Amino acid sequence: MERQIYKGRIVDLRVERVTLPNGTEVDLELMRHPGASAVAAVDDREQVVLIRQYRYAAGGYVWELPAGVLEPGEAADKCAVRELREETGVVAERMEPLSTIFTTPGFCDERIHLFLARGLRTETHAHEADEVIAEIRWLPLRDALRMIRQGEIVDGKTVAGLHLAAAAVGLAP
């Protein structure tokens, strides 16, 4: 049995009757999501670009990697290219996959594809109307990792993406 509760622009909330691997039948509240991509853009000096974006659900501004929702039929790497350009004005020669993560697998199927962008150049950003980006900041990747440890960066995709990017560029912890 499956019952749709709400379908919006991004999420589809439903209750699904499922049989668990142990044989127990339960009703699960699930949020279906089209997926997203996030980008750690690291330049030749090991600086990374972050955005400080307003997130109502989080109660204010949050430091994040540039990211966005996949459009229907869009490949994850193309989404990464598009979001990096729209949110920061940065264009990359190379987009290297880092990993794919589930954000909250207890109730949501959202997967975020994480990428490392290299060979960077800056152009003009093109923020969407529903994006409130207060700041675009380049900082040493090492400083971004410190911000995680100090609780200044709390967004899950950003924490994962920064650590994976640091490992990919050979930055020692």
Side-chain angles (χ1 to χ4, degrees):
M1 177 195 84
E2 190 173 304
R3 183 170 48 102
Q4 187 173 62
I5 305 298
Y6 172 80
K7 182 165 178 55
R9 183 174 59 88
I10 297 175
V11 298
D12 180 358
L13 178 60
R14 35 186 71 243
V15 175
E16 296 182 19
R17 183 80 169 163
V18 301
T19 303
L20 301 175
N22 65 5
T24 303
E25 282 192 23
V26 295
D27 288 333
L28 294 179
E29 297 167 355
L30 299 172
M31 193 169 329
R32 301 295 184 187
H33 188 283
S37 292
V39 186
V42 180
D43 68 14
D44 294 336
R45 297 178 303 147
E46 291 185 347
Q47 296 215 56
V48 65
V49 65
L50 295 176
I51 60 173
R52 195 166 147 264
Q53 184 163 323
Y54 180 74
R55 296 296 191 181
Y56 177 81
Y61 288 89
V62 177
W63 284 108
E64 298 181 41
L65 291 175
V69 176
L70 295 169
E71 293 178 354
E74 184 179 36
D77 61 335
K78 301 299 183 215
C79 176
V81 168
R82 176 176 52 79
E83 290 294 335
L84 180 62
R85 169 83 164 73
E86 284 177 5
E87 293 186 347
T88 67
V90 174
V91 177
E93 288 177 13
R94 297 178 313 285
M95 197 65 70
E96 304 166 14
L98 292 170
S99 188
T100 298
I101 61 170
F102 280 103
T103 57
T104 47
F107 65 89
C108 185
D109 67 353
E110 180 185 23
R111 293 173 193 246
I112 297 185
H113 307 277
L114 302 171
F115 291 89
L116 173 64
R118 302 292 278 177
L120 310 176
R121 72 178 189 280
T122 302
E123 295 182 358
T124 305
H125 63 73
H127 297 160
E128 302 270 331
D130 64 348
E131 294 176 324
V132 180
I133 297 174
E135 188 175 350
I136 301 168
R137 182 191 293 177
W138 285 92
L139 67 156
L141 183 51
R142 202 175 290 285
D143 289 355
L145 296 173
R146 178 190 47 74
M147 289 172 71
I148 293 169
R149 290 188 303 275
Q150 293 177 341
E152 297 172 61
I153 294 176
V154 295
D155 173 63
K157 72 181 175 302
T158 301
V159 170
L162 289 171
H163 280 289
L164 290 165
V169 301
L171 185 64

